[in-house]
Amino acid sequence: MRERERLNLGWRFTLGHAGDESRDFHYRHDRSLVKAGEARGAAKPDFDDTAWETVDVPHDWALELPLVRSEDREIVEHSFRQIGPDFPQHSVGWYRRNLDIPESDFGKRIWVEFDGVFRDSVVWVNGFRLGRHESGYTPFRYDITDFLNYGQKNVVVLRVDATCYEGWWYEGAGIYRNVWLTKLNPLHIAHDGIQIVPEVSGEDAVVRIKTEVKNDSDELVHSLLVSSVGRSIEQTTIELGPWSSTVVEQTLKLSKVRLWSPEDPYLYVLQSVLKASPSSEKDVDEVRTSFGVRTLRWDKDKGFFLNDKPVKIKGTCNHQHHAGVGIAVPESLHEWKLRKLKEMGSNAYRCSHYMVTPEFLDAADRVGMLVMCENRLPGGSPDHLKQLEAQIIRDRNHPSIIAWSLGNEEHTIQWSIIGERIGRTMIRLARRLDPTRMITSAMHDRGFTEGFMNVVDVQGWNYMKVGSIEKFRERMPQQPIVGTEESSAVTTRGEYLDDPVRGYVKSYDGRTPGWGTPAEKWWKYFAERDWLAGAFVWTGYDYFGEPIPYKWPCTSSHFGLMDLCGFPKDLYHYYKSWWSDEPVLHLFPHWNWFGREGEPIDIWCYSNHDEVELFLNGKSLGLKAIERNGHTEWKVGYEPGCLEAKGYRNGKCVQTVRVETTGQPIRLRLNPMRTTLRGDGMDVIQIDVVAVDEKDRVVPTADNKVRFQVEGCADLLGVGNGDPSSHESNRGPVRSLFHGLGCGLIKSKPASGLAKVVVTAEGLMPARIDLKVV
């Protein structure tokens, strides 16, 4: 039977050197390209790696590299980290790990699989060079069956070279996604070999299944494939010659089907079982594949339809980054981050601008988040098409995915006849692999008549300010349009004045780069036009790199509606007001303006109530109506005390919020994501750290340095505070609070018991929490 285990724990790691052979273990003198199995240096099986650092993956070695102040565009975009072509001493990493393969595994097919390595990796097993994989965003795998020492020591080695960039954002470096060891019977279901296509008819559905079965043996085999969903079962007899494969087509029927949607993300499970022979009870392989049943439709006049109901896309674009870990985002954080977006009222997510980890898409299926998957780099060459193919084949069974995007803002080709040809080639491949979804590309419009727009199903529009959506609709009235990227409003959590020196942007909606549009302006425009299917805000979360509008000292962006820790900014509440069904009454800024008594302060309120009345220390400052998809504001002379807002619907007060002048911080408070971890050595939770005063109110100006101490069955993985200009360590254990908030990431050990987390700060009462590791 199939066995699949993570190889995430216990790797050895050290830096190599992209320009100095003597510091790169003489990689270019390696003999494994000359004679099979004759690897040299660090790729040699008996190389002594005891002096190397022990790390677990996911791992991003670039996040703790030194910063360098530079005007070089690519260094700026990559978070000022000393990695890339100018920094050969930091741009190559080596990984080694031992494998225990028992003698009983002889006769199985054994694969090592990498979900993501940034970038340009070479892999050896026991001194045999298996291959090279350049892309930092697509998965790859090697059959290592022939190279193993069964019942003896085995060694996997990777050399990872992050010298070249693939994007214009922080890209990290290393084995930053899961690594797997898969053991298979020679007769097995192929990797990513199941395609599920549900077709809805009234209350029922027909599920069409294609399953690729492989026989990696010297024998002629007869087998039975049993596919089932609940009580619906189909069996097919198979005959396979030696070293061959076949695709089995089957059909299952589901009655009174439950449709997948963001409101009800119901998942069915297809169980695919392969028998040793048609008459045998012995199973030789089993794969369980979750899927959802739903219909998709894009309309030129009414936008996007899910299950024949119009759905306005209220989306965000995102990189897969997080505080404390960079690109090596732990599996458990994906669902947590998606749920925070859903709490805001968002229903869609654009994967910018590359193939994401499979655990993210699993989480999107469970949570009920519509997803636009995006290809990293368009092209018609075999290498480019192979990347697109890998994405579609791996991910096409996810009900959350509603469209494929060919790429993002390909300025050289998106308006050219060459680009049009490339687009047609890519779309031919995409349609063959998945005929069920529409294809788009995220692009600007310059009034050209050639390019991607002539071949995609849905026009992806990046920024209403760039070109004219109205004129495009007149030119191409039959094409649906979705805003693949919008707004680019920049704000810094907790800041209410622009500060170019420290690199902070005030939180009031209004500032964007030249191509952007403030949140309120763009959303009003899209909300009023049914023919616009909706849009994706740039971005849901801040991310490392691409600092705009300021450069140094900023190491991360300001675009997010939440910061890198997941702490909401004020603008988050604008979208929550008009994207969610929850009553919202959000008042800002804070009311700790010591030394500014009597000065006018801009008070904004995001709310979906009819009217809001503002009070200062009990005195009414007026009742104001809330325009749909808008906000209201006052200018108030500062005096310490209490700002109070009351929200009214139909003349009745239904909600009240207060913003008070706080005292000085006296203690810390911990808010954990949860208090139980899996004892597998890989589970991670975030614990938020809050500085509070004597009345347990968050102190919005607190910037105390806090120290994390973790004992028992867990370790500190990383720290953060959401400050886009922080140059403190992301690994900890010390980090300053930023506007009263910070966080620590706690990772379980492979053990059971308790973990004690204590956070201290000079002059403040410490905080402690006990976590259960099971």
Side-chain angles (χ1 to χ4, degrees), residues 203-448:
E203 293 185 343
D204 302 329
V206 172
V207 181
R208 305 193 187 281
I209 306 160
K210 293 182 179 180
T211 306
E212 183 181 1
V213 179
K214 299 188 71 177
N215 175 23
D216 289 341
S217 77
D218 295 325
E219 308 296 327
L220 173 69
V221 299
H222 294 82
S223 181
L224 183 70
L225 176 65
V226 182
S227 299
S228 62
V229 177
R231 297 180 180 178
S232 182
I233 300 174
E234 181 162 337
Q235 304 182 24
T236 303
T237 302
I238 305 167
E239 179 181 296
L240 270 175
W243 301 99
S244 65
S245 65
T246 188
V247 175
V248 180
E249 298 190 18
Q250 298 173 307
T251 301
L252 299 176
K253 294 183 179 180
L254 302 179
S255 300
K256 296 185 177 179
V257 70
R258 186 169 167 183
L259 298 180
W260 184 96
S261 70
E263 298 76 26
D264 182 21
Y266 185 79
L267 295 173
Y268 291 90
V269 176
L270 170 69
Q271 185 177 25
S272 305
V273 178
L274 202 57
K275 299 289 186 179
S277 71
S279 60
S280 174
E281 292 297 318
K282 181 182 177 182
D283 300 340
V284 295
D285 198 8
E286 179 180 344
V287 176
R288 296 171 65 85
T289 309
S290 65
F291 69 98
V293 179
R294 82 287 182 267
T295 63
L296 308 174
R297 179 163 59 88
W298 297 82
D299 185 270
K300 64 183 179 62
D301 297 317
K302 296 297 182 180
F304 173 68
F305 286 73
L306 179 71
N307 301 326
D308 286 329
K309 297 177 182 178
V311 175
K312 198 77 166 184
I313 290 175
K314 303 170 183 176
T316 63
C317 306
N318 292 280
H319 286 294
Q320 290 200 331
H321 294 180
H322 196 75
V325 292
I327 63 170
V329 181
E331 182 176 332
S332 57
L333 291 188
H334 293 303
E335 182 167 334
W336 178 76
K337 295 182 75 170
L338 283 169
R339 290 193 183 279
K340 291 180 78 69
L341 290 169
K342 282 205 75 174
E343 289 169 7
M344 184 183 72
S346 178
N347 61 11
Y349 186 111
R350 174 174 167 236
C351 303
S352 308
H353 306 287
Y354 40 79
M355 188 174 180
V356 294
T357 183
E359 290 78 19
F360 167 82
L361 293 172
D362 291 339
D365 291 345
R366 294 191 303 268
V367 168
M369 183 68 76
L370 306 173
V371 176
M372 177 181 289
C373 283
E374 191 154 271
N375 177 59
R376 171 71 289 276
L377 190 64
S381 72
D383 283 346
H384 289 98
L385 296 175
K386 185 178 178 181
Q387 292 187 41
L388 177 64
E389 181 178 33
Q391 181 174 39
I392 294 177
I393 288 178
R394 191 198 70 178
D395 297 338
R396 59 192 172 187
N397 292 328
H398 288 281
S400 55
I401 299 175
I402 60 171
W404 305 109
S405 171
L406 301 181
N408 176 72
E409 296 177 1
E410 290 292 334
H411 303 122
T412 302
I413 66 170
Q414 67 183 7
W415 306 308
S416 72
I417 189 61
I418 291 177
E420 191 168 320
R421 295 184 203 128
I422 289 172
R424 290 188 191 282
T425 297
M426 296 178 73
I427 290 172
R428 276 197 305 272
L429 173 63
R431 293 222 195 289
R432 177 171 62 81
L433 299 173
D434 176 21
T436 70
R437 292 178 178 89
M438 297 293 99
I439 298 166
T440 185
S441 184
M443 48 189 157
H444 305 306
D445 173 60
R446 299 289 190 185
F448 292 86

Side-chain angles (χ1 to χ4, degrees), residues 576-578 580-584 606-610 626 649:
K576 187 171 184 176
S577 296
W578 303 112
S580 80
D581 295 326
E582 292 184 26
V584 176
Y606 291 138
S607 180
N608 48 18
H609 298 308
D610 301 334
I626 302 290
R649 291 189 178 183

Side-chain angles (χ1 to χ4, degrees), residues 562-745:
M562 289 176 275
D563 66 22
L564 270 162
C565 303
F567 297 128
K569 303 180 185 181
D570 292 302
L571 199 53
Y572 173 102
H573 300 278
Y574 167 76
Y575 288 102
K576 187 171 184 176
S577 296
W578 303 112
W579 284 7
S580 80
D581 295 326
E582 292 184 26
V584 176
L585 185 60
H586 177 73
L587 195 64
F588 65 101
H590 62 74
W591 207 235
N592 283 25
W593 299 104
F594 306 113
R596 294 185 61 184
E597 285 76 9
E599 291 186 27
I601 305 292
D602 289 321
I603 308 297
W604 281 36
C605 181
Y606 291 138
S607 180
N608 48 18
H609 298 308
D610 301 334
E611 298 170 308
V612 174
E613 186 173 11
L614 183 67
F615 297 81
L616 175 59
N617 295 328
K619 179 181 178 182
S620 176
L621 301 181
L623 180 72
K624 292 192 175 184
I626 302 290
E627 178 188 357
R628 180 162 182 78
N629 297 316
H631 77 286
T632 193
E633 57 187 86
W634 296 260
K635 196 174 286 289
V636 179
Y638 176 65
E639 63 178 71
C642 176
L643 279 175
E644 183 178 69
K646 294 185 177 181
Y648 294 85
R649 291 189 178 183
N650 299 319
K652 181 180 179 180
C653 180
V654 294
Q655 191 175 8
T656 301
V657 298
R658 295 177 179 84
V659 177
E660 298 176 329
T661 306
T662 72
Q664 294 299 310
I666 64 164
R667 67 180 182 88
L668 300 174
R669 187 176 74 211
L670 303 183
N671 300 326
M673 175 176 147
R674 47 186 159 85
T675 56
T676 301
L677 290 89
R678 296 188 315 274
D680 58 5
M682 292 174 279
D683 196 14
V684 175
I685 65 165
Q686 178 166 307
I687 296 180
D688 297 340
V689 183
V690 185
V692 297
D693 68 2
E694 71 283 354
K695 295 183 179 179
D696 202 39
R697 299 173 296 192
V698 178
V699 180
T701 54
D703 59 0
N704 308 70
K705 286 187 179 294
V706 300
R707 176 180 291 273
F708 290 83
Q709 297 171 284
V710 184
E711 299 176 1
C713 297
D715 292 309
L716 180 67
L717 179 63
V719 295
N721 61 10
D723 180 353
S725 300
S726 176
H727 293 182
E728 296 174 292
S729 170
N730 291 282
R731 300 292 186 229
V734 176
R735 191 67 180 253
S736 300
L737 300 179
F738 185 59
H739 294 293
L741 304 177
C743 75
L745 299 179

